[in-house]
Amino acid sequence: MCREYGADIVWSEELIDRKVCTTKRQVNEKLGTVEYVIDKPSGGGNRTVVWSTCPQDRPTVIQIGTGSGEWALKTLNALDPNDYDGLDVNMGCPEHFSVSGGMGSALLKDPKRTEDIVKTLVRNSTKPITCKIRLLPTIEQTIDFMKMLEQCGAKAITIHARYVSQRPRVPAHTQLVPELVKSVSVPVIYNGDVFTWKDIERLKQESGCSSVMVGRGALWNMSTAFVEGKEKPALEVCREYVRRCLEYENPISFTKYTVLRMFENLPKKGLWYQEIIRSKSELIWLDIIDREIERIRQGLPDVPPTDASTTGRIDAKKLAGLEDDE
């Protein structure tokens, strides 16, 4: 969907090396997708789709979380190069699960291990290798790290303009990025507080970067995130997303997590949002969203429906166990 709404390139979610290495590549002819799945040992037909893609995703970059050259190579070998256009190494995730495994922002403190990972991938990959980092404690340290990545063969570097300890509520340090851009000759991609297409050109100018990566802005409303002229209300985009998830048989827990995150920036959640939290059916969600769109169109008050038939509860953060890196 992001490609349809104007994104030039899309990145996958972070895929953890050891998990990728347990998958099998399968072609789903019914859906027209390629899937990397983990089959359940019970043999009961249950399986976990770790990553899936389709021709409409291209160009697409797979982002991996890895803590060693050995596991980076195993991950590379587990992926069919025909399924993606580039491989990105996450070096910015501050979450405990990532850092405790020597991945994500842990790599910023270990240049030698990082060098081994990048060089190993560059030597063995037929696709470009890129890296996503955060600001190190000083500009000088960040420059040295970026130069090392360039010397190892990285074809581009994404800089999330926050320090490892900072979360999204802290404004990104855009003013620090131009000096970093000038220190390397490879393209530098800016990331941080990019919410709509109006921010893209401004932040390219302010940062000096060649391009911009959109994170939360695309999650909240992808129709306003990339280009002018495709704007829709967020609820309409959400309805489209749920329908697409049904079409492509997306696991319901993944779909629900994303739907709830799409409206996390709203200071006050409507009654419809609480209904979705309690519901366990995509079809019920579509009915809830349709009713809310119509209520807004008619200017009616936000009151509980008389025919609500939703049950169960869900915690969006608990489903994923992590927060956005941006």
Side-chain angles (χ1 to χ4, degrees), residues 84-288:
Y84 62 95
D85 302 286
L87 196 68
D88 186 73
V89 182
N90 186 319
M91 301 180 182
C93 181
E95 298 299 328
H96 175 73
F97 85 92
S98 186
V99 176
S100 63
M103 302 177 290
S105 60
L107 294 173
L108 299 177
K109 298 180 179 180
D110 197 335
K112 287 187 177 180
R113 191 156 51 89
T114 302
E115 181 178 342
D116 180 44
I117 290 170
V118 178
K119 284 185 174 179
T120 298
L121 290 172
V122 170
R123 279 197 309 268
N124 293 279
S125 176
T126 59
K127 298 297 176 72
I129 303 301
T130 63
C131 305
K132 185 168 188 264
I133 70 170
R134 284 190 177 220
L135 295 169
L136 277 77
T138 69
I139 286 292
E140 291 74 22
Q141 288 175 305
T142 310
I143 288 174
D144 288 344
F145 197 88
M146 291 176 67
K147 286 183 175 180
M148 178 270 291
L149 295 177
E150 180 180 34
Q151 291 167 1
C152 289
K155 298 302 183 184
I157 301 169
T158 301
I159 176 72
H160 178 185
R162 288 186 176 89
Y163 297 100
V164 173
S165 62
Q166 294 178 325
R167 293 301 180 263
R169 63 181 176 272
V170 178
H173 304 286
T174 311
Q175 75 281 3
L176 301 180
V177 178
E179 187 174 351
L180 304 176
V181 175
K182 295 175 184 177
S183 70
V184 293
S185 59
V186 296
V188 178
I189 304 167
Y190 176 84
N191 177 233
D193 293 342
V194 190
F195 300 115
T196 73
W197 60 267
K198 296 178 182 179
D199 298 322
I200 292 176
E201 193 58 40
R202 174 179 62 82
L203 288 169
K204 281 177 66 177
Q205 294 295 325
E206 292 179 11
S207 68
C209 290
S210 60
S211 54
V212 170
M213 177 181 286
V214 186
R216 287 174 293 152
L219 176 65
W220 294 345
N221 189 341
M222 67 186 79
S223 78
T224 64
F226 305 112
V227 295
E228 185 178 5
K230 293 180 177 286
E231 296 89 342
K232 292 181 181 178
L235 273 169
E236 292 185 16
V237 176
C238 181
R239 178 172 60 187
E240 184 181 355
Y241 171 73
V242 174
R243 288 173 175 169
R244 194 71 62 90
C245 288
L246 278 168
E247 178 185 353
Y248 282 95
E249 300 179 358
N250 195 47
I252 187 170
S253 60
F254 294 176
T255 304
K256 191 166 195 174
Y257 172 77
T258 302
V259 167
L260 296 180
R261 293 297 306 278
M262 288 174 79
F263 300 93
E264 66 183 1
N265 62 318
L266 297 181
K268 184 179 179 180
K269 311 293 192 294
L271 292 172
W272 69 271
Y273 187 87
Q274 301 305 319
E275 286 188 76
I276 287 184
I277 289 176
R278 294 190 295 269
S279 170
K280 296 182 179 180
S281 164
E282 296 102 320
L283 294 177
I284 292 177
W285 303 344
L286 288 173
D287 178 64
I288 293 168

Side-chain angles (χ1 to χ4, degrees), residues 271 275 278 291 303-308:
L271 292 172
E275 286 188 76
R278 294 190 295 269
R291 284 193 281 108
V303 296
T306 58
D307 60 346

